[in-house]
Each structure stands twice: as structure tokens, then as C-alpha cells.
């Protein structure tokens, strides 16, 4: 859609522009409104998750609200940009920081016991007090159960997990037109994207192989 609708006279810079070209101004307003909600959820998720990481790194000696406030202020300062053109070094640094985190994770996994509590919570142990993942006297696990709504977890854990999954699943796609608009030749974006996906895939496969060999 971007390659077919973008032009020098009428550039496409966001999803709202795509909606305007296809359906008119009301669709642009709707797309911009939905994108604003997605950005709000994305920022909230980043602030909360980084606040949790900082709180754990500080061994819970620092107030959790202060941890979130620190990341909110850092994001506010770094986010004051008008173009992505001169911030390629930041994206490049982020790649190597992620790789460093992967290597640290592999080293920690080789010398630390598995986090059974965290794994159990992500596998459904908090739903119905663990009834869905608890075997009977004969060692047989209950059958897979489905729900038409959010399962009862006795709190808001399931809602938070579901919101995080939804945000992570579609959070990056919303800025594709912005990235493509920043590039002089939009097809270069596709080449860069596939190169990045191949790079990520290779390193993740390598990480999985190393973790299996350690186990």
C-alpha cells in the first residue's frame, strides 16, 4: 500500500495517510486515534517493564514508582526528536545491546537454576489456582480447556499478560510507514528489514542451540 500510494507531491508518512487515501478524512481520524491508543499502551508497557527490571536490579531497595518515573523521564528526554535520520547509531547500538543481553542470559542460564515460579505463572498456574496444570493422583494432566473470555486468575494477572501479548504482537507494525517515509528509496527498507530478520533469526537459533547443549 505504501509503495502504491506514496508520491513526492502527496507523501505517505503514517497509517493515517493511508486511511485518508483509501477512504477519506474520517478514516484518517480513526487511524490516528487508534494509533494514539496503541502508543499510549506501548509507552506504558515499556515504562512498567523497565521499572520492574530496575527494581530487581536495585534488589527492591528503590521504590517501584521511582523506578518507573526514572524511565519515564529518560524516555521523555530521548524522545524529543523530529526525524529518525540522524539516529541510526542509536538503532545500531540497540542491536548490540540486545545481543549482549542474550549472551548474559545464556551465561546466567548455565550457572543458575531454572525459574520454576516464573515459568509456572506463564504456563497457567495462576488460573483456577493451578487446576489446569496440576496432574491427578495417577499423574495424568487435565485436558486442554478453552474459554470464551478471560479466564479467572483471582486478580488482574491474566489481563496484564494479555495486554502485553497484544502490544508486543502489533506494536512494531504501526511505525512501518514512518520508517519507510524516512528512507529515500522505500525498497531499501524491505532489504534492511529482511536482513534484520535474518540476523535476529540466526542469533536466536544459536542461543537456543547453546541453551539446549547446556541442559
Amino acid at each position: 500500500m505504501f509503495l502504491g500510494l506514496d508520491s513526492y507531491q502527496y507523501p505517505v508518512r503514517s497509517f493515517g495517510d493511508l486511511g485518508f487515501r483509501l477512504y477519506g478524512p474520517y478514516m484518517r481520524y480513526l487511524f490516528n486515534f487508534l494509533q494514539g491508543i496503541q502508543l499510549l499502551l506501548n509507552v506504558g508497557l515499556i515504562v512498567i517493564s523497565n521499572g520492574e527490571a530496575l527494581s530487581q536490579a536495585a534488589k527492591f531497595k528503590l521504590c517501584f514508582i521511582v523506578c518507573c518515573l526514572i524511565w519515564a523521564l529518560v524516555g521523555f528526554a530521548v524522545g524529543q526528536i523530529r526525524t529518525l535520520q540522524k539516529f541510526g547509531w542509536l538503532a545500531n547500538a540497540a542491536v548490540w545491546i540486545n545481543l549482549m543481553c542474550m549472551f548474559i542470559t545464556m551465561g546466567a542460564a548455565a550457572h543458575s537454576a531454572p525459574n520454576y515460579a516464573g515459568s509456572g505463572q506463564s504456563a497457567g498456574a495462576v488460573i483456577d489456582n493451578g487446576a489446569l496444570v496440576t496432574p491427578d493422583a495417577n499423574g495424568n494432566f487435565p485436558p486442554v480447556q478453552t474459554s470464551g473470555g478471560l479466564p479467572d486468575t483471582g486478580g488482574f494477572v491474566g489481563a496484564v499478560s494479555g495486554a502485553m501479548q497484544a502490544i508486543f504482537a502489533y506494536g512494531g507494525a504501526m511505525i512501518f510507514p514512518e520508517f519507510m517515509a524516512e528512507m529515500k528509496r522505500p525498497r531499501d527498507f524491505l532489504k534492511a528489514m529482511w536482513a534484520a530478520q535474518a540476523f535476529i533469526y540466526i542469533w536466536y537459533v544459536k542461543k537456543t542451540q547453546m541453551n539446549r547443549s547446556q541442559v
Side-chain angles (χ1 to χ4, degrees):
M1 290 174 64
F2 180 89
L3 296 177
L5 297 176
D6 183 56
S7 65
Y8 286 102
Q9 187 175 3
Y10 301 103
V12 173
R13 298 189 178 93
S14 65
F15 268 109
D17 293 335
L18 292 176
F20 174 71
R21 302 289 167 74
L22 294 174
Y23 300 105
Y26 293 103
M27 189 60 66
R28 168 186 277 177
Y29 301 147
L30 177 61
F31 279 13
N32 290 338
F33 176 74
L34 294 176
Q35 195 170 17
I37 295 178
Q38 180 71 17
L39 282 171
L40 179 64
L41 296 176
N42 237 334
V43 172
L45 174 61
I46 292 172
V47 170
I48 292 175
S49 59
N50 285 320
E52 291 177 349
L54 182 59
S55 179
Q56 293 177 2
K59 298 182 178 180
F60 306 102
K61 296 180 180 179
L62 186 62
C63 178
F64 178 70
I65 296 178
V66 175
C67 295
C68 293
L69 179 61
I70 291 174
W71 284 110
L73 294 176
V74 171
F76 177 80
V78 177
Q80 300 303 310
I81 59 176
R82 297 181 61 87
T83 178
L84 301 173
Q85 185 176 3
K86 297 181 180 180
F87 280 82
W89 62 271
L90 186 61
N92 190 27
V95 172
W96 297 107
I97 291 174
N98 280 326
L99 288 177
M100 182 177 66
C101 291
M102 291 171 59
F103 296 147
I104 294 174
T105 302
M106 287 187 286
H111 299 87
S112 303
N115 185 2
Y116 292 107
S119 176
Q121 289 179 355
S122 64
V126 296
I127 299 177
D128 289 339
N129 295 322
L132 301 181
V133 294
T134 303
D136 56 18
N138 298 324
N140 299 318
F141 285 87
V144 177
Q145 299 185 20
T146 58
S147 175
L150 186 66
D152 182 19
T153 60
F156 61 92
V157 175
V160 173
S161 299
M164 286 186 174
Q165 293 297 328
I167 295 170
F168 277 132
Y170 299 100
M174 62 184 295
I175 58 175
F176 271 27
E178 283 82 351
F179 274 112
M180 297 181 75
E182 287 282 345
M183 306 184 73
K184 186 176 181 179
R185 292 181 294 273
R187 292 186 185 275
D188 289 348
F189 171 82
L190 299 177
K191 298 177 183 177
M193 182 185 69
W194 285 115
Q197 293 293 339
F199 182 80
I200 294 171
Y201 177 79
I202 291 172
W203 280 106
Y204 267 90
V205 169
K206 185 65 176 177
K207 175 185 177 183
T208 303
Q209 291 176 345
M210 293 183 67
N211 287 339
R212 287 182 177 177
S213 64
Q214 291 167 355
V215 174

